[in-house]
Amino acid sequence: MNTIVVGAYWGDEGKGKIVDVLAADSDWVVRYNGGDNAGHTIVAGGKKVVLHVLPSGVLQGKNAAIGPDVFFNPAGFLTDLKAVEESGFKIKGRVVIDERAHVIMPYHVVLDGKSDEDGKIGTTRRGIGPCAKDRAERKTDITAADMVGAGFYEKIKAAVAAKKDELLSSGVIKTKYEIEGYCKKAYDVYSAYADKIRKYVGETAYLLNEEAAKGKSILIEGAQGSLLDVVHGTRPYVTSSNTTAGGAAANLGIDLRRFKVIGIAKAYPTRVGEGHFPTELGSYEDAKKEEKGKQLTVAEKRNVAEGDETLLGRWIRSDGFEYGATTGRPRRTGHPDFVALRYSAMINGIDEWAITKIDVLGGKTFKAAVAYKKGSEITERFPFRLEGWKPVYKSRTYFWQAMSERECIEAVEKGYDALPSGMKQYIKELVAYTGVPVSMISLSPKREITLIKDALKRTSEYLRRK
Ligand code: IMP
Ligand code: MG
């Protein structure tokens, strides 16, 4: 089966681990969007690897493709290759970077920092937005094909000349006398990258369609989350590409009808960067002041039991290690949001959920949003403008005791029925509200500790009985 994996919230849902698990049965793993703004953390065989642009499935020795809508940073790519090798894994399959992928140039990175200096969007400062802008403008863009082809230096010179005013006024280049030197330096650095990546540059649309026609299975890995989609997300606090499943078809040139869509529903939402977040626990300002990863004291946990939501947010953040894999920023945490999940299910056409990090909620009492309200208005829809909308929670709360690793391993072996009843209650309501069954439940960052047995069967029954 061919599969597309997308995040249901604002990214960091744990896609890396699920892709890594699914990759075992795939011939190709493919990235279709974003760039090295993403950070996918995978823990396998006792080793942890963070990848930014290489698809996570390469750790399973599979063939990997980077599609034409990926904003391609050659330095990030080479760092990923090194990270794989250094952690003891081997790249065994083919690696193909689409020739149409746009290259992130050094000035894109600086311009990203400058244009978001006030942190209004809270970008990852990897140059994604400025590179996307050049692509849309169609005069100053540089593709992977340009980078490895003849005339790369002329291409850089022409791009810098066309962007001269912007580069001078934003201080990327100090004076007009330094323009030539700047171009030469960029060329020196990038032509060295080009020599290293030339052998990987190819054409992915024909390749993937031909492989699919031969019966090879393809696993497509989305970066970021559905609510960061440039069209359907919470604009302007979004990334610059389509993160939803349809984006994979448009951007890779593949036939969506051949694919099953798996949505990654992290057990609780997180958000890194700015933007509205209806079920947020505490505030971003408080999160930024915290000591990274500091555990809660017994007294603080007692305060959570008495209703301190800021502390609950911090507790989830430290237990779930919710800090950006790319930027190190604390991730804002929230109560589960079924309104957002149902919207994600709709805009992606999600067939099955994979629930991740549910272990983090063990031992904590939490709620789930089932509607939003603003004044006297109530809606079950996810509004374009989230400002002012407050969550309406289901009246019941959810709770189960934290499971030990041994208990998690036992549950994985026994199957869905062996899960704690409070956890099943939460899953049941998530399924009923979103109309989508669950096929995988991740109980630990470890690849092996993922419950699959009976999950789809049992959670599909919830829908039939509804
Ligand atoms: P950009 O993609 O760097 O332009 O950042 C735009 C917004 O998307 C910011 O809010 C970022 O924090 C967010 N973002 C980008 N990539 C990721 C990701 O991989 N995980 C989570 N948030 C991301
Ligand atoms: Mg991430």
Side-chain angles (χ1 to χ4, degrees), residues 9 336-342 368-370 398 426 429-430 433-434:
Y9 285 120
D337 186 341
F338 291 169
V339 181
L341 289 183
R342 184 156 73 176
V370 287
Y398 304 93
Y426 167 54
E429 288 173 12
L430 184 155
Y433 196 87
T434 58

Side-chain angles (χ1 to χ4, degrees), residues 12 38-40 325 331:
D12 305 309
H40 292 166
R331 296 181 188 140

Side-chain angles (χ1 to χ4, degrees), residues 10-12 37-39 121-125 224 228 238-239 272-273 329:
W10 287 277
D12 305 309
N37 49 352
I121 306 279
T123 77
T124 58
R125 304 185 171 209
Q224 291 88 42
L228 289 175
V238 296
T239 189
V272 50
R329 292 179 291 179

